[in-house]
Amino acid sequence: MTKIAAEAQQQTHKQTQSAQTKDKHLQPVKVGILGLGTVGSGTVNVLHNNRDEITRRAGRAIDVTHVALRDIKKKRDCNTQNIELSTDPFSIVNQPDIDVVVELIGGTDIARELVLQAIANGKHVVTANKALIAHHGNEIFAQAQKHGVVVAFEAAVAGGIPIIKSIREGLAGNRIEWLAGIINGTCNYILTQMQQYGRDFAEVLSEAQKLGYAEADPSFDIDGVDVAHKLTILASIAFGIPLQYNKVYVEGIRNITQLDVSYAEQLGYRIKHLGFARRQAQGIELRVHPCFISQQCLLAHVDGVMNAVLVEGDAVGQTLYYGAGAGANPTASSVVADLVEVVRTLTTDSENRVPHLAFQADALSTTPIMSIEAVESVYYIRMQARDEAGVLAEVTQILSELNISMEAILQKDRAEHANHVHVVILTHKVPEKHLNTAIERIEALPGIAENVLRVRVVDL
Ligand code: NDP
Ligand code: HSE
């Protein structure tokens, strides 16, 4: 073959290849979904209902071709016609035709294996699984980078609010100073119902479960674990640190009573369950606990299943992101947004994509996470004190010996213990370590019944 003929043949081959690639890029993107519960069904519905708008945005149609579930006979909240159903999720991550795997099973065991297998097979992954990202994200992102695929997780934090994209991209010019979020819909729903209607904790929790807001194990919601997962992710993308779930201080809302909700109201506050992360000179505060926040603060008015995240950046100042934090369609909104983003990046160079954790993987910082004992705060404390002379004097003596000054001390309603009353104290700012010592000593007084309850006051 002459040189000219060989060049012509090469040119024809390139044209055929390019036509095939172009053709492939006009075909719908094939998606396999793992899990068809609340979020899985919502995702199928949103993809179906908004198909044209989504295609116009992504440049290609997105088709769900396969779904994995446990019970094939169970009635579903979405149309499964034209979708191949399987009880073997590995058959989907190993299916060569599928371009993107959407993990909506939850948990950290099988979900981790499935996601790593999908990545190893060169598939992009979308997940709503905050537990998976908080515990195994460092490993998963390293594998994704190695295999040149995207792992997108917008739905993992604050349901339908595009908070990951906002911090990772919209605030990329800022040094983030702190963020505070109401990021568990179930807890916020419970606290709101207690505050507005005086309803019972257990009854409202069961309602939140029926509405599909709660985790498979609802103790993850009410004990703060779910917020800790989400805060781990937010702190990582805000401060450029690795995911460090084990270093988050976590407290849930189980000990909050109707009385505390009502005393907070009387003192000009609302009780909200917050995830809070802040840069300090000594390191980064990462804490999850119920908080008193001023009724003047916008976050105090975020009610029901709604979530909100307040972020302070040095250039922009404060920005607030608000929306539905759980539920089928709001969460599906974020899952589908990730799918559109993945489809848009299918043809981009994998080295030049937005980094998974906002900062370049080799530029993450080793700033330490502070222990809760090193944190300083204003505190609300409530105790049941025997209703007789001298008991309060002993309490105030302990506080004064530890240099804890008080903003207010109030004797409230009669307590459950005979001859005891509820006493409420608001302190000035004090190191947590000193307050712990004070609480230990107050609980040991003979005139004090049961444990002292403490809620941190957060000034935003
Ligand atoms: P659900 O419990 O409603 O759904 C889980 C689905 O996974 C079910 O369809 C179940 O099948 C399927 N599944 C479980 N194990 C297997 C398995 N081994 N093989 C195949 N299928 C399996 O959970 P959600 O939709 O509420 O949550 C999914 C994920 O999204 C979780 O990570 C959750 O934390 C997260 N998330 C949830 C939100 C919400 O509002 N619910 C909001 C934001 C994130 P079957 O139906 O047959 O039992
Ligand atoms: N159980 C979670 C919540 C779901 O109540 O916020 C959304 O992540």
Side-chain angles (χ1 to χ4, degrees):
M1 195 188 295
T2 65
K3 195 173 165 214
I4 294 175
E7 274 174 6
Q9 196 181 37
Q10 221 174 16
Q11 184 65 19
T12 315
H13 179 64
K14 268 192 192 158
Q15 279 168 352
T16 317
Q17 260 190 334
S18 149
Q20 279 170 349
T21 311
K22 208 168 157 197
D23 196 35
K24 183 165 189 282
H25 288 151
L26 289 175
Q27 288 167 9
V29 172
K30 291 187 176 143
V31 172
I33 299 185
L34 313 176
L36 200 60
T38 305
V39 186
S41 303
T43 301
V44 171
N45 287 333
V46 170
L47 283 169
H48 178 262
N49 296 344
N50 298 342
R51 185 178 170 83
D52 291 347
E53 288 295 84
I54 290 165
T55 308
R56 289 206 301 143
R57 289 196 170 101
R60 288 168 69 181
I62 299 176
D63 282 351
V64 178
T65 55
H66 296 71
V67 163
L69 31 66
R70 276 179 302 205
D71 180 357
I72 286 232
K73 294 201 179 116
K74 192 156 116 189
K75 191 177 170 321
R76 302 288 158 178
D77 292 332
C78 61
N79 187 344
T80 54
Q81 255 181 358
N82 305 324
I83 299 178
E84 202 174 311
L85 304 181
S86 165
T87 52
D88 175 12
F90 284 94
S91 70
I92 293 180
V93 297
N94 291 327
Q95 163 69 245
D97 277 357
I98 287 174
D99 305 298
V100 188
V101 168
V102 180
E103 185 279 308
L104 300 172
I105 283 181
T108 49
D109 298 334
I110 189 173
R112 173 179 165 274
E113 281 178 50
L114 288 163
V115 165
L116 289 175
Q117 182 69 39
I119 292 170
N121 289 340
K123 299 189 193 306
H124 300 279
V125 174
V126 172
T127 179
N129 190 337
K130 50 267 166 156
L132 178 71
I133 299 296
H135 285 279
H136 301 296
N138 296 323
E139 175 192 21
I140 288 171
F141 297 137
Q143 286 305 308
Q145 204 178 1
K146 185 170 147 201
H147 291 273
V149 298
V150 175
V151 175
F153 53 96
E154 182 64 70
V157 183
I161 307 174
I163 188 65
I164 303 291
K165 208 170 183 54
S166 301
I167 297 179
R168 192 163 55 185
E169 293 167 52
L171 299 181
N174 287 261
R175 175 186 149 99
I176 310 273
E177 301 297 345
W178 56 261
L179 58 86
I182 295 176
I183 45 180
N184 184 274
T186 305
C187 282
N188 205 41
Y189 187 74
I190 294 171
L191 290 172
T192 306
Q193 291 285 324
M194 284 171 78
Q195 181 239 327
Q196 293 184 352
Y197 307 107
R199 288 183 67 195
D200 173 63
F201 187 106
E203 175 196 320
V204 188
L205 172 61
S206 139
E207 193 173 296
Q209 286 178 281
K210 282 190 202 118
L211 289 165
Y213 303 153
E215 294 303 299
D217 176 355
S219 69
F220 273 44
D221 296 291
I222 58 179
D223 292 332
V225 177
D226 179 68
V227 176
H229 289 148
K230 292 166 178 168
L231 187 71
T232 301
I233 299 171
L234 287 181
S236 179
I237 59 167
F239 305 130
I241 53 174
L243 296 149
Q244 297 167 80
Y245 171 76
N246 292 338
K247 299 202 177 142
V248 182
Y249 173 79
V250 192
E251 237 179 67
I253 60 167
R254 273 185 209 265
N255 294 332
I256 301 296
T257 65
Q258 188 58 53
L259 267 182
D260 302 304
V261 171
S262 146
Y263 293 162
E265 202 69 21
Q266 292 168 36
L267 290 162
Y269 294 93
R270 292 262 156 82
I271 300 186
K272 293 290 179 190
H273 191 230
L274 287 193
F276 187 67
R278 174 165 58 184
R279 279 184 205 268
Q280 296 278 36
Q282 315 92 296
I284 290 170
E285 283 179 33
L286 274 188
R287 45 192 174 109
V288 172
H289 49 74
C291 298
F292 268 39
I293 52 179
S294 162
Q295 286 170 12
Q296 313 295 321
C297 176
L298 280 171
L299 282 188
H301 302 277
V302 173
D303 289 332
V305 72
M306 303 310 270
N307 279 195
V309 183
L310 188 59
V311 185
E312 167 105 5
D314 66 342
V316 71
Q318 289 190 3
T319 51
L320 178 66
Y321 308 84
Y322 170 87
N329 285 353
T331 312
S333 162
S334 289
V335 171
V336 174
D338 273 350
L339 273 170
V340 170
E341 181 171 327
V342 165
V343 172
R344 285 174 178 153
T345 59
L346 283 177
T347 49
T348 61
D349 161 15
S350 68
E351 293 299 311
N352 292 311
R353 294 183 182 137
V354 178
H356 287 109
L357 290 175
F359 292 72
Q360 298 300 328
D362 59 3
L364 296 185
S365 112
T366 53
T367 313
I369 308 300
M370 288 166 65
S371 98
I372 191 71
E373 292 237 302
V375 163
E376 286 199 354
S377 179
V378 168
Y379 296 87
Y380 156 95
I381 55 177
R382 177 173 59 78
M383 62 201 78
Q384 298 186 40
R386 203 183 303 139
D387 193 8
E388 63 186 36
V391 176
L392 277 191
E394 285 179 313
V395 171
T396 54
Q397 175 68 25
I398 291 173
L399 294 177
S400 127
E401 281 168 18
L402 289 160
N403 216 9
I404 299 174
S405 57
M406 291 180 292
E407 186 179 310
I409 177 163
L410 308 164
Q411 183 170 317
K412 308 296 285 183
D413 316 53
R414 296 216 73 78
E416 300 79 63
H417 279 261
N419 301 325
H420 283 64
V421 286
H422 288 287
V423 171
V424 163
I425 295 175
L426 262 189
T427 71
H428 281 293
K429 204 174 214 179
V430 43
E432 176 113 358
K433 200 173 170 187
H434 292 188
L435 192 88
N436 288 345
T437 310
I439 289 180
E440 222 173 274
R441 287 177 57 188
I442 292 170
E443 283 175 346
L445 291 173
I448 300 295
E450 299 196 358
N451 293 343
V452 173
L453 178 97
R454 148 242 318 262
V455 184
R456 297 169 190 86
V457 179
V458 172
D459 181 8
L460 300 168

